[in-house]
């Protein structure tokens, strides 16, 4: 008997472009959600665009969050219940968007993502990443009902956030390699459609590297579209597998152990150089990954990340313990091998 089934949850309305912030109300009305939303934002995005958003939602209350935490999710849930909000609209970087995503899940309502920075594909995906103590929980939730990415606002965000978003996409190359490996060795569930979309997204971003330049609004256009595409790949897969492999484990581990972690996308980019080396060896594709990162101005070394060599080695040798996700790290890379890969690739 044929017993397979799949349920793909995708955003229904995606708007990317100059000035689309003023179309949030229209895009939301088109979803027929009814009622009034709670707006969730953080201080800088609120200053930059809060009033323009509020002008589109009569009577909507705003919650402004300072830091990402489970307590902040609880506060959003309480505020939404008190206000009788029927859905959430998140305005900002990954912090308010992830918090609203989790709160919406807890409330059983939809949410709309209005990113002000193209810093990673969480602005589109159905995954929330919330720090707690010295760890970080990656939690499954529903993806946004709509994504409205205003390239004018994103282009004025700190340049490092944009290059971090690019590096998060470039890391899809190694994430997909890890996924295929896990399918071969551990028979994990795999989708060729999701894998192909994820790889193609990375390919297109690298092919368009010339348009990714500080001060150029087109950079935000190229990156936003790639982030949407990567988010869709995760939705098709029903997991973050197409966009998160060993390089993400490495970054998650740095978040835990580094005194001052760098941006998510920057860490996964550097991780990707090393995990590509582990996949394909000295003559493999690791130089292409490094060159692609260099071309878009993203870090390629521990020093660029502002993290010391010892911490990078510790993260690489312990990253496999982060979660039950089989990757090229297998049951662990020993210290000697880690030093060799990091040295050979110029990361340390
Ligand atoms: N779901 C996922 O897959 C992932 C989720 N994450 C989560 O996302 C968060 C990190 O994402 P990130 O976007 O870097 O975080 P933030 O939302 O904290 O944004 C980074 C910084 O940029 C500021 N900012 C945002 N937009 C603008 C703008 N247009 N102009 C000027 N400044 C701006 C923010 O201001 P302010 O301080 O006022 O907010 C903040 O200081 C973490 O909470 C992390 O856990 C990270 C990786 C993956
Ligand atoms: O960052 C992500 C994809 O780019 C999400 O991955 P995680 O599932 O590892 O949190
Ligand atoms: Zn990522």
């Amino acid at each position: 008997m044929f017993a397979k089934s799949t349920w793909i949850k995708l955003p229904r309305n995606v708007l990317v472009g100059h000035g689309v912030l003023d179309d949030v109300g229209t895009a939301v009305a088109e979803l027929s959600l009814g009622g009034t939303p709670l707006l969730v934002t953080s201080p800088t995005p609120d200053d930059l665009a809060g009033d323009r958003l509020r002008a589109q939602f009569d009577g909507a209350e705003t919650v402004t969050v300072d830091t990402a935490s489970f307590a902040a999710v609880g506060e959003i849930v309480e505020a939404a219940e008190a206000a009788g909000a029927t859905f959430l609209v998140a305005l900002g970087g990954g912090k308010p968007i992830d918090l609203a995503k989790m709160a919406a899940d807890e409330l059983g309502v939809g949410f709309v993502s209005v990113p002000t920075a193209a810093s990673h594909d969480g602005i589109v995906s159905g995954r929330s990443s919330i720090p707690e103590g010295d760890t970080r929980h990656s939690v499954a939730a529903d993806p946004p009902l709509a994504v409205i990415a205003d390239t004018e606002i994103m282009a004025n965000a700190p340049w490092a956030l944009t290059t971090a978003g690019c590096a998060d996409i470039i890391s899809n190359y190694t994430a997909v390699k890890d996924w295929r490996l896990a399918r071969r060795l551990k028979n994990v569930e795999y989708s060729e459609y999701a894998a192909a979309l994820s790889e193609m997204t990375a390919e297109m971003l690298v092919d368009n590297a010339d348009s990714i330049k500080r001060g150029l609004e087109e950079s935000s256009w190229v990156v936003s579209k790639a982030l949407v595409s990567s988010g869709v790949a995760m939705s098709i897969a029903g997991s973050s597998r197409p966009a998160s492999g060993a390089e993400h484990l490495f970054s998650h581990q740095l978040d835990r152990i580094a005194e001052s972690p760098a941006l998510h996308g920057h860490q996964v980019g550097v991780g990707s150089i090393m995990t590509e080396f582990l996949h394909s060896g000295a003559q493999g594709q690791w130089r292409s990954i490094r060159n692609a990162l260099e071309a878009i101005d993203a870090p390629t070394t521990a020093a660029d990340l502002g993290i010391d060599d010892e911490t990078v080695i510790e993260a690489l040798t312990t990253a496999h313990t982060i979660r039950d996700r089989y990757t090229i790290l297998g049951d662990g890379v020993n210290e000697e091998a880690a030093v060799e890969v990091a040295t050979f690739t110029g990361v340390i």
Side-chain angles (χ1 to χ4, degrees):
M1 192 187 77
F2 184 84
K4 286 186 192 173
S5 68
T6 185
W7 183 347
I8 299 173
K9 294 188 175 181
L10 294 164
R12 189 167 116 188
N13 284 339
V14 176
L15 278 73
V16 179
H18 185 93
V20 296
L21 177 71
D22 297 320
D23 298 328
V24 178
T26 311
V28 167
E30 218 259 344
L31 297 171
S32 307
L33 294 172
T36 306
L38 177 74
L39 311 182
V40 180
T41 187
S42 59
T44 314
D46 193 16
D47 283 351
L48 289 170
D51 287 343
R52 273 171 74 189
L53 195 61
R54 276 183 285 275
Q56 299 171 60
F57 295 102
D58 253 3
E61 289 179 23
T62 303
V63 169
T64 307
V65 291
D66 271 313
T67 38
S69 67
F70 284 98
V73 175
E75 283 161 27
I76 295 167
V77 168
E78 269 179 33
E81 283 172 342
T86 46
F87 59 101
L88 307 183
V89 177
L91 170 77
K95 178 177 53 186
I97 288 175
D98 267 18
L99 293 173
K101 194 187 293 177
M102 267 203 78
D105 214 55
E106 226 171 293
L107 289 158
V109 301
F111 95 101
V112 171
S113 173
V114 188
T116 57
S119 48
H120 53 72
D121 50 22
I123 60 174
V124 184
S125 77
R127 288 206 83 79
S128 239
S129 174
I130 311 282
E132 191 185 48
D134 68 349
T135 185
R136 175 174 292 278
H137 293 267
S138 181
V139 192
D142 280 350
L145 295 171
V147 181
I148 296 100
D150 191 318
T151 50
E152 185 184 20
I153 292 180
M154 290 172 140
N156 287 314
W159 175 237
L161 295 177
T162 308
T163 64
C166 293
D168 201 21
I169 295 296
I170 290 170
S171 81
N172 287 11
Y173 282 123
T174 48
V176 170
K177 285 195 174 184
D178 281 317
W179 196 13
R180 293 207 172 107
L181 180 74
R183 177 178 67 144
R184 289 197 297 274
L185 298 188
K186 304 290 174 187
N187 203 28
V188 304
E189 211 173 321
Y190 173 78
S191 158
E192 192 60 53
Y193 287 105
L197 177 59
S198 176
E199 279 178 326
M200 188 193 72
T201 303
E203 198 72 50
M204 287 181 66
L205 184 104
V206 171
D207 287 350
N208 283 296
D210 282 353
S211 313
I212 302 169
K213 298 257 178 302
R214 193 193 288 264
L216 209 60
E217 185 172 338
E218 192 172 356
S219 311
S220 303
W221 168 258
V222 172
V223 187
S224 300
K225 294 209 333 178
L227 296 174
V228 169
S229 184
S230 191
V232 169
M234 288 190 264
S235 286
I236 293 173
S239 88
S240 60
R241 265 291 191 178
S244 171
E247 73 298 317
H248 272 66
L249 299 180
F250 168 74
S251 168
H252 296 331
Q253 190 65 329
L254 282 179
D255 285 340
R256 282 182 167 183
I257 64 174
E259 215 165 278
S260 179
L263 290 170
H264 168 83
H266 289 169
Q267 292 182 164
V268 301
V270 171
S272 211
I273 299 174
M274 295 190 288
T275 62
E276 178 57 50
F277 181 94
L278 292 172
H279 272 288
S280 59
Q283 302 310 317
Q285 302 300 307
W286 67 269
R287 283 189 184 83
S288 312
I289 305 250
R290 188 193 57 192
N291 295 345
L293 292 169
E294 263 171 12
I296 50 103
D297 224 7
T300 57
T301 67
D304 292 345
L305 292 175
I307 296 176
D308 59 79
D309 295 356
E310 293 70 31
T311 306
V312 162
I313 297 303
E314 189 185 340
L316 194 56
T317 53
T318 54
H320 64 288
T321 62
I322 281 271
R323 80 205 290 189
D324 185 21
R325 172 164 290 192
Y326 192 80
T327 69
I328 192 68
L329 302 175
D331 60 3
V333 174
N334 74 20
E335 193 175 330
E336 214 182 338
V339 169
E340 189 185 333
V341 57
T343 309
F344 196 94
T345 54
V347 167
I348 64 170

